[in-house]
């Protein structure tokens, strides 16, 4: 027997990837599959961004870059955050990352150890809990409730803080629920956190462009009282339809920046140079394609929610952000994962069971509406027929 480190037996997964592999296998067998599973835009990366990467390669950007990323890109991130949120960010605190995930990975590594508590949203992105468990810290779920429109509750979050709490993870707009937390609630959270100066916050704002119904995204960098312990996670994956490029960024405060830079040197050296040039073009070039894509998501959001609310036993609150709907399926009598599996096997519609995002996800499905309206309507028809004709197992 190999003697491996026990932490690895506790590491989790993101089931959306397993479901994607199963769906692809079914497609290879000739099945007619509609994917509302994986969370990635169904749009291509805008052409001028692709061209910038090709140009970077042609211009000879073939070598390592600085571990924290090329300076023009860090400057562009700082300028973008200033333009969009009016916040002052030094390029020296911006770190270019190979995607959004490595920021959560590094942040949780910095604070997680046995005896420490880390709070995270439930239902929430599954990697938070996975990494907390990996470090041996105690995962403390913060309930995200349908009755709050899946916004997080400041009061509930603050109530769960103990002297052992090291890090609180917040996510708005949220995966898997599409919930958006408004300014008044964020104000309350930040005010409460002033009493806990030793607690760090990681704000996952990867969906920050995708807010609807006149909501405004609240960037946590706008709160000076927590800036010295706030980690911002963001990136290009969702906004610029660049999930496969592996390009993200973080803003790390104080000594955490150097920890992250050293982790990068130890782990990946630097982010792919041509991808960094693509990221620079994305931030400094025209934004029309981003807004076109988001307008399209907004239209589909209305279609998917209206359709879900017509299904027997299903109700769906209107998600205010990201590109997910999180319908309540308790009235169908099905357990969520069984329903997701059976829907895939019998109707070819890919969804993700809520429990893949935490215990409180039972009774819900996640549907990504990053698919054409035509396919969404077809999927809803198939789900409707299925639910009308099949009783829960
Ligand atoms: N954070 C959230 C909430 C996400 O939903 C995702 C991707 O699905 C990520 C982070 C990771 O993004 P990336 O693909 O850039 O690593």
């Amino acid at each position: 027997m190999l003697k491996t480190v026990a932490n690895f037996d506790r590491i989790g997964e993101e089931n959306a990837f397993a479901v994607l592999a199963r769906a692809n296998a079914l497609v290879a067998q000739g099945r007619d599959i509609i994917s509302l599973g994986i969370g990635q835009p169904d749009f291509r990366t805008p052409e001028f961004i692709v061209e910038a990467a090709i140009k970077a390669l042609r211009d000879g950007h073939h070598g390592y870059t600085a571990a924290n990323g090329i300076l023009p890109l860090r400057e562009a991130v700082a300028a973008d955050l200033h333009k969009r949120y009016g916040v002052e960010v030094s390029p020296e605190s911006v770190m270019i990352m190979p995607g959004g995930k490595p920021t959560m990975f590094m942040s949780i590594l910095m604070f997680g150890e046995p005896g420490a508590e880390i709070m995270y949203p439930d239902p929430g992105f599954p990697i938070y809990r996975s990494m907390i468990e990996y470090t041996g810290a105690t995962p403390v779920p913060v309930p995200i409730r349908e009755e709050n429109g899946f916004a997080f509750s400041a009061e509930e979050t603050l109530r769960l803080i103990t002297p052992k709490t090291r890090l609180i993870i917040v996510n708005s707009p949220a995966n898997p629920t599409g919930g958006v937390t408004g300014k008044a609630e964020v104000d309350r959270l930040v005010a409460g956190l002033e009493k806990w100066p030793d607690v760090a916050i990681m704000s996952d704002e990867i969906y920050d462009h995708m807010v609807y119904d006149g909501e405004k995204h609240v960037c946590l960098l706008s709160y000076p009282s927590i800036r010295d312990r706030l980690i911002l996670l963001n990136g290009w994956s969702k906004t610029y339809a660049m999930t496969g490029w592996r390009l993200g960024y973080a803003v790390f405060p104080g000594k955490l920046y150097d920890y992250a830079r050293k982790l990068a040197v130890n782990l990946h050296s630097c982010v792919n140079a041509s991808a960094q040039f693509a990221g620079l073009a994305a931030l400094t070039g025209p934004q029309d394609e981003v807004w076109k894509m988001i307008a399209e998501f907004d239209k589909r959001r209305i279609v998917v929610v209206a359709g879900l609310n017509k299904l027997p036993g299903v109700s769906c609150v209107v998600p205010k952000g990201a590109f997910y709907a999180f319908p309540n399926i308790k009235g169908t009598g099905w357990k969520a994962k069984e329903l997701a599996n059976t829907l895939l096997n019998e109707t070819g519609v890919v969804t993700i069971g809520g429990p893949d995002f935490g215990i409180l996800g039972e009774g819900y499905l996640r549907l990504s509406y990053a698919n054409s309206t035509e396919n969404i309507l077809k999927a809803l028809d198939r789900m409707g027929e299925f639910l009308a004709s099949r009783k829960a197992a």
Side-chain angles (χ1 to χ4, degrees):
M1 269 289 266
L2 297 176
K3 279 204 159 213
T4 51
V5 175
N7 301 34
F8 280 88
D9 296 325
R10 294 195 301 266
I11 204 159
E13 277 214 64
E14 189 183 347
N15 197 36
F17 278 95
V19 174
L20 178 69
R22 252 187 77 211
N24 285 342
L26 290 172
V27 171
Q29 289 167 21
R31 288 279 307 276
D32 174 18
I33 300 294
I34 304 174
S35 178
L36 306 180
I38 194 84
Q40 67 178 339
D42 56 320
F43 292 81
R44 288 170 61 103
T45 305
E47 207 50 40
F48 73 93
I49 299 176
V50 175
E51 286 302 327
I54 295 170
K55 179 172 184 310
L57 288 171
R58 293 232 162 88
D59 290 350
H61 293 290
H62 300 174
Y64 294 122
T65 74
N68 56 343
I70 57 172
L71 180 60
L73 184 54
R74 288 185 287 113
E75 286 172 341
V77 168
D80 180 60
L81 288 168
H82 183 261
K83 185 175 75 195
R84 293 191 298 125
Y85 300 120
V87 293
E88 297 294 337
V89 176
S90 160
E92 302 311 312
S93 63
V94 175
M95 170 109 189
I96 305 304
M97 292 286 209
K101 270 181 182 166
T103 300
M104 62 186 81
F105 185 93
M106 289 187 184
S107 308
I108 295 168
L109 277 189
M110 288 178 201
F111 292 98
E113 62 182 337
E117 292 176 0
I118 299 185
M119 291 164 52
Y120 68 101
D122 182 345
F125 193 55
I127 301 307
Y128 307 142
R129 186 181 172 110
S130 160
M131 275 308 298
I132 298 168
E133 302 242 37
Y134 169 79
T135 64
T138 305
V140 178
V142 178
I144 303 296
R145 301 188 190 277
E146 183 180 359
E147 56 268 32
N148 291 343
F150 296 117
F152 62 72
S153 149
E155 198 250 313
E156 211 159 359
T157 308
L158 293 166
R159 205 167 354 109
L160 288 165
I161 302 179
T162 77
K164 291 184 185 159
T165 307
R166 295 263 182 90
L167 175 68
I168 300 177
I169 299 170
V170 292
N171 173 219
S172 173
N175 180 5
T177 57
V180 170
T181 306
K183 182 167 182 307
E185 202 62 21
V186 180
D187 286 352
R188 274 195 283 277
L189 178 69
V190 172
L193 285 173
E194 285 166 16
K195 297 193 195 86
W196 296 95
D198 299 332
V199 174
I201 303 110
M202 191 196 77
S203 183
D204 182 342
E205 302 187 14
I206 197 119
Y207 296 101
D208 66 343
H209 285 75
M210 296 167 187
V211 286
Y212 314 106
D213 294 341
E215 283 284 335
K216 261 192 135 124
H217 174 69
V218 184
C219 177
L220 265 73
L221 289 172
S222 6
Y223 294 87
S225 70
I226 54 165
R227 275 294 290 270
D228 61 347
R229 52 198 167 109
L230 174 74
I231 302 164
L232 177 77
L233 181 161
N234 208 327
W236 285 258
S237 294
K238 317 287 174 173
T239 308
Y240 297 98
M242 291 176 74
T243 51
W245 293 72
R246 310 312 302 136
L247 186 66
Y249 68 84
V251 177
F252 282 108
K255 69 176 183 181
L256 304 190
Y257 190 85
D258 215 41
Y259 288 173
R261 189 191 55 76
K262 284 190 198 155
L263 273 173
V265 171
N266 278 268
L267 190 63
H268 57 262
S269 295
C270 67
V271 173
N272 176 312
S274 62
Q276 294 192 52
F277 282 91
L280 180 58
L283 290 182
T284 54
Q287 304 294 301
D288 338 9
E289 291 192 57
V290 170
W291 297 116
K292 250 194 255 164
M293 177 178 81
I294 293 171
E296 184 59 32
F297 285 150
D298 191 6
K299 279 194 218 144
R300 298 171 185 178
R301 178 178 71 108
I302 306 301
V303 170
V304 80
V305 172
L308 284 166
N309 277 314
K310 288 192 193 125
L311 300 183
V314 178
S315 62
C316 186
V317 300
V318 181
K320 295 213 166 130
F323 42 68
Y324 306 110
F326 204 60
N328 181 324
I329 51 117
K330 291 173 189 166
T332 66
W334 283 85
K335 287 268 182 216
K337 287 188 62 120
E338 270 167 30
L339 180 58
N341 279 335
T342 317
L343 278 172
L344 174 55
N345 292 336
E346 298 192 17
T347 72
V349 175
V350 188
T351 61
I352 312 281
D356 284 336
F357 303 95
I359 296 167
L360 294 178
E362 184 53 87
Y364 298 89
L365 288 183
R366 187 191 80 173
L367 275 70
S368 156
Y369 49 85
N371 203 326
S372 67
T373 302
E374 188 192 345
N375 280 339
I376 291 169
L377 288 171
K378 222 192 291 174
L380 288 165
D381 274 350
R382 291 189 196 176
M383 289 171 74
E385 261 172 51
F386 174 86
L387 287 170
S389 61
R390 278 286 300 274
K391 287 277 154 278

